[in-house]
Amino acid sequence: EISFVGNRTRNLINGGALANVNNVLPGAMFGDPTGDANRYRPMPQWQELRVLRHDLYSNYNSLQASLAKQTGRINYTLAYTWGKAMGIINNDLNPFDRDAAYGPLGSDRTHVLSATYVIDLPGLAGDANAFARGVVNGWVLSGIVQAYSGVNIQPNTTNANFNLNAPSAQAGNQLNGAWILGTTAIRAMPRLTCDPRSNLGENQFVNGACFAPPVAGVNGQPGENGAYVMPYMRGPAYFNGDLSLFKEFSITESKRIQFRAQAYNFMNHPVRSFLSGDPNLSLNFNAQGGNTNPRFGFADNKVGRRTIMLGIKFFF
């Protein structure tokens, strides 16, 4: 079977910075970037005024193919999906331009492959006595194999800006939206100087040398902020295989015992991964604009281990 599967969602609840009707307007704080932002709001007698809106949206499009065999000694299913999930990756990046943050979502998996199989193993004791046939014959092998491409790294990082830490000699302070664009409502984003997907080392998924800090504004003129949606930087791919072996032994017509041996991640294949709040996905710049995190973009963690479970079921 081959099919197109897609959906579109509209009017999603938006309670983030996009819903704030009292954001500091761009340029308002150029003369006082370290001051009290509340003084520069359109309604200075109030602070943030978030009014829930229903203006977020997303969409999903995919090609899905499956192949199944359900007869004979060997049964299997193969399923493959090539798709893309798009939407607002973070609604706190730029409240003045919602669509500027439209891109592949953090949940997107471009390629998804899964397979299941059940195999009735052939009998090996055809001429043996009844006890040997009962022990050796009748075993069933089954398993599941899963392989996914990596997720989009940027939306899965802190604040979708790699937890940017950028002190600046130019600004004399930590660079933020007030220094760059004169408003605290816009998030500071790193600038790209090359393709962060190129020239990667072993187990590296983002090239930290391709990032530079944003530039502060000067004399009331806007500085230079980075793009809100970066190139699609894929994280580590996922692979897993589970295996089970079982057999039933008849005691009487109505009673039987099933022996089952199961192994999750039976190949004991570790998966490279970035953990929640991983420091290897934090951009730390010094005042001269150099990246001080030498392990940025490297997936140094491994997750997953083989788990074996043995079980006996009694049917009556």
Side-chain angles (χ1 to χ4, degrees):
E1 297 182 355
I2 299 178
S3 59
F4 164 79
V5 178
N7 62 58
R8 181 177 65 172
T9 58
R10 296 180 294 179
N11 306 322
L12 297 175
I13 292 179
N14 173 18
L18 286 167
N20 183 13
V21 297
N22 203 26
N23 280 311
V24 177
L25 297 176
M29 296 184 66
F30 273 143
D32 187 17
T34 61
D36 181 8
N38 294 320
R39 295 171 49 200
Y40 300 96
R41 298 186 185 277
M43 295 175 282
Q45 68 272 30
W46 304 97
Q47 298 182 10
E48 285 194 358
L49 293 174
R50 297 199 178 193
V51 180
L52 290 181
R53 300 179 181 179
H54 296 264
D55 59 356
L56 294 185
Y57 57 92
S58 65
N59 60 77
Y60 174 74
N61 294 278
S62 67
L63 171 70
Q64 299 186 7
S66 63
L67 176 66
K69 179 179 180 294
Q70 300 177 350
T71 59
R73 186 180 294 275
I74 299 176
N75 295 267
Y76 59 82
T77 61
L78 298 173
Y80 168 73
T81 298
W82 175 40
K84 179 167 285 188
M86 302 282 289
I88 306 302
I89 66 171
N90 189 300
N91 61 357
D92 289 331
L93 296 181
N94 185 347
F96 305 105
D97 187 357
R98 175 195 60 189
D99 297 337
Y102 176 78
L105 294 172
S107 59
D108 179 65
R109 297 269 192 176
T110 303
H111 303 285
V112 176
L113 176 67
S114 62
T116 64
Y117 56 90
V118 178
I119 303 173
D120 292 326
L121 298 177
L124 301 176
D127 298 329
N129 57 42
F131 176 79
R133 290 197 303 270
V135 172
V136 176
N137 297 343
W139 290 90
V140 178
L141 182 71
S142 65
I144 300 174
V145 178
Q146 299 167 303
Y148 309 151
S149 59
V151 298
N152 189 10
I153 293 179
Q154 185 204 351
N156 286 288
T157 66
T158 304
N159 298 324
N161 69 349
F162 292 100
N163 197 28
L164 178 65
N165 178 34
S168 171
Q170 178 185 6
N173 207 322
Q174 179 73 20
L175 274 176
N176 55 29
W179 283 101
I180 303 165
L181 298 170
T183 172
T184 56
I186 296 179
R187 182 155 295 156
M189 301 295 291
R191 294 181 297 117
L192 288 177
T193 58
C194 59
D195 188 344
R197 301 166 296 186
S198 62
N199 301 316
L200 300 176
E202 184 178 3
N203 300 320
Q204 186 181 19
F205 295 86
V206 187
N207 187 351
C210 289
F211 292 90
V215 179
V218 179
N219 298 325
Q221 297 299 314
E224 184 180 353
N225 204 16
Y228 300 108
V229 177
M230 303 175 192
Y232 198 133
M233 295 167 279
R234 299 185 193 280
Y238 173 80
F239 177 83
N240 182 61
D242 300 332
L243 190 69
S244 65
L245 179 68
F246 59 92
K247 174 179 169 53
E248 291 187 356
F249 299 89
S250 297
I251 301 175
T252 66
E253 286 188 12
S254 61
K255 297 179 181 178
R256 64 188 190 278
I257 292 177
Q258 183 189 81
F259 171 78
R260 179 181 292 268
Q262 294 175 289
Y264 303 96
N265 190 9
F266 74 96
M267 290 180 286
N268 202 27
H269 175 72
V271 176
R272 291 276 174 180
S273 179
F274 292 106
L275 303 181
S276 177
D278 199 319
N280 288 13
L281 288 179
S282 291
L283 275 175
N284 300 315
F285 292 100
N286 56 30
Q288 289 71 44
N291 184 6
T292 62
N293 185 353
R295 297 304 296 173
F296 178 81
F298 287 86
D300 291 334
N301 299 286
K302 295 180 180 180
V303 297
R305 60 183 63 85
R306 181 192 295 119
T307 302
I308 297 177
M309 182 175 68
L310 302 178
I312 295 178
K313 289 183 178 181
F314 177 55
F315 299 89
F316 60 93

